[in-house]
């Protein structure tokens, strides 16, 4: 029944209410009788609360976008030579951020699971106070923290590998950085629904490379993400390039665990 309702939400969108006609149709589609539905849920609101919790749980894996995380590590293994100089490391960082931000923005914020999660997060406050609302909020909190912890592990591995560290003021806590970075991408995803020309605009940016200056086209998502990165991180004066190159060249598994506990 919940799987049928999830497919319904992904097709028609999320609403905070659900009428008897829709419940009857979903029950029939799920192969249940009205009596069987009543045995599981005492009311339509009780079913709706369970549906919202299921939607929040499903968003945990979808938001992390494991493809972006895997691609980043694969890309690093092809740029190991650039890690030996400060200019090279900056170039690698910029290329990672630009590529990952643009890919993540297009893939994650275009997914139906993320759109549902975003809608649920912003509208659940309209629900009346009570046990059902508290359960949904707890599921959303758990989903958010699962995502933050996944991204924290990722940043904690990838940034030192390219010669950067979190600024000392953050006391080695990557979670505020993960939240700020995600808010940029997901906030732009929400705004894109109303002002797509502004969000999807690109601008020419001059990037200093070892062999000169390149003029590159940057999206609003990539530019904004880079701003967050520069606010939170700085070059690591103790960076050991040869050690990092050895780890990458030797195929050492430094990827973070997935939300399900297994390696990406």
């Amino acid at each position: 029944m919940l799987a049928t309702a999830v497919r319904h939400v992904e097709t028609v969108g999320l609403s905070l209410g659900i009428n008897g006609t829709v419940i009857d149709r979903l029950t029939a589609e799920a192969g249940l009788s009205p009596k069987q539905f009543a045995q599981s849920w005492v009311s339509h609101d009780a079913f709706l609360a369970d549906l919202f919790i299921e939607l929040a749980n499903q968003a945990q894996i979808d938001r992390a976008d494991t493809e972006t995380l895997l691609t980043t590590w694969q890309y690093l293994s092809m740029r190991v030579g650039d890690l030996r100089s400060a200019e090279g490391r900056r170039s690698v960082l910029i290329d990672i951020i630009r590529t990952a931000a643009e890919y993540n923005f297009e893939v994650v914020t275009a997914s139906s699971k993320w759109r549902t999660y975003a809608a649920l997060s912003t509208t659940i406050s309209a629900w009346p106070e009570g046990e059902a609302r508290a359960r949904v909020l707890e599921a959303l909190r758990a989903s958010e923290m699962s995502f933050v912890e996944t991204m924290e592990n990722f940043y904690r591995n990838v940034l030192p590998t390219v010669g950067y560290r979190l600024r000392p003021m953050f006391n080695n806590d990557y979670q505020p950085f993960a939240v700020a970075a995600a808010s940029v991408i997901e906030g732009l995803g929400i705004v894109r629904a109303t002002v797509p020309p502004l969000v999807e605009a690109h601008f020419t940016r001059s990037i200093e490379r070892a062999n000169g200056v390149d003029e590159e086209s940057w999206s609003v998502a990539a530019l904004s993400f880079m701003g967050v990165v520069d606010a939170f991180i700085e070059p690591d004066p103790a960076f050991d390039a040869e050690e990092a190159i050895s780890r990458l060249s030797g195929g050492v598994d430094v990827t973070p665990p997935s939300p399900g506990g297994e390696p990406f």
Side-chain angles (χ1 to χ4, degrees):
M1 182 66 185
L2 286 171
T4 300
V6 167
R7 289 193 295 271
H8 172 76
V9 169
E10 291 178 350
T11 301
V12 305
L14 183 70
S15 64
L16 287 179
I18 191 166
N19 59 43
T21 301
V22 174
I23 288 287
D24 291 343
R25 179 164 62 80
L26 293 177
T27 301
E29 288 181 13
L32 300 178
S33 67
K35 181 179 179 180
Q36 288 173 313
F37 177 90
Q39 289 173 339
S40 297
W41 293 282
V42 297
S43 68
H44 291 173
D45 281 348
F47 169 72
L48 197 59
D50 280 355
L51 172 59
F52 286 174
I53 291 170
E54 179 67 16
L55 293 169
N57 291 337
Q58 289 195 11
Q60 290 187 24
I61 296 176
D62 194 64
R63 292 174 67 214
D65 184 22
T66 57
E67 186 65 28
T68 298
L69 309 188
L70 278 172
T71 301
T72 299
W73 285 114
Q74 293 166 352
Y75 177 76
L76 281 179
S77 67
M78 298 185 294
R79 295 285 301 273
V80 291
D82 291 316
L83 299 182
R84 290 190 171 94
S85 70
E87 295 79 8
R89 293 192 289 273
R90 178 67 179 177
S91 177
V92 171
L93 176 69
I94 287 174
D95 290 342
I96 288 174
I97 296 305
R98 178 190 177 199
T99 302
E102 292 182 354
Y103 180 87
N104 193 262
F105 175 69
E106 292 300 331
V107 172
V108 172
T109 64
S111 74
S112 59
K113 286 184 174 62
W114 175 81
R115 290 197 301 268
T116 298
Y117 177 86
L120 181 57
S121 297
T122 55
T123 58
I124 191 59
S125 58
W127 252 31
E129 295 280 354
E131 180 185 356
R133 181 183 180 213
R135 289 173 57 221
V136 175
L137 286 172
E138 177 58 27
L140 287 170
R141 188 200 69 79
S143 179
E144 188 69 31
M145 289 309 301
S146 174
F147 168 76
V148 168
E149 288 166 5
T150 296
M151 298 311 301
E152 175 190 17
N153 287 333
F154 174 73
Y155 293 132
R156 192 179 291 277
N157 278 293
V158 73
L159 292 175
T161 302
V162 296
Y164 285 82
R165 69 180 185 184
L166 202 63
R167 294 184 184 275
M169 64 183 287
F170 298 110
N171 299 312
N172 201 36
D173 182 0
Y174 278 77
Q175 290 194 357
F177 172 46
V179 168
S183 297
V184 166
I185 298 298
E186 298 189 356
L188 287 171
I190 293 172
V191 174
R192 179 165 56 176
T194 53
V195 286
L198 295 179
V199 175
E200 296 168 4
H202 282 68
F203 301 90
T204 300
R205 181 179 182 183
S206 298
I207 302 295
E208 293 186 7
R209 305 285 185 183
N211 57 351
V213 177
D214 288 343
E215 300 294 323
E216 300 175 351
S217 177
W218 279 60
S219 68
V220 172
L223 288 167
S224 302
F225 198 102
M226 195 72 219
V228 173
V229 169
D230 283 336
F232 277 83
I233 72 169
E234 65 183 10
D236 183 358
F239 177 65
D240 185 338
E242 297 308 320
E243 191 274 338
I245 292 171
S246 176
R247 292 173 74 208
L248 288 167
S249 301
V252 177
D253 183 11
V254 290
T255 54
S258 70
E262 298 298 325
F264 286 124

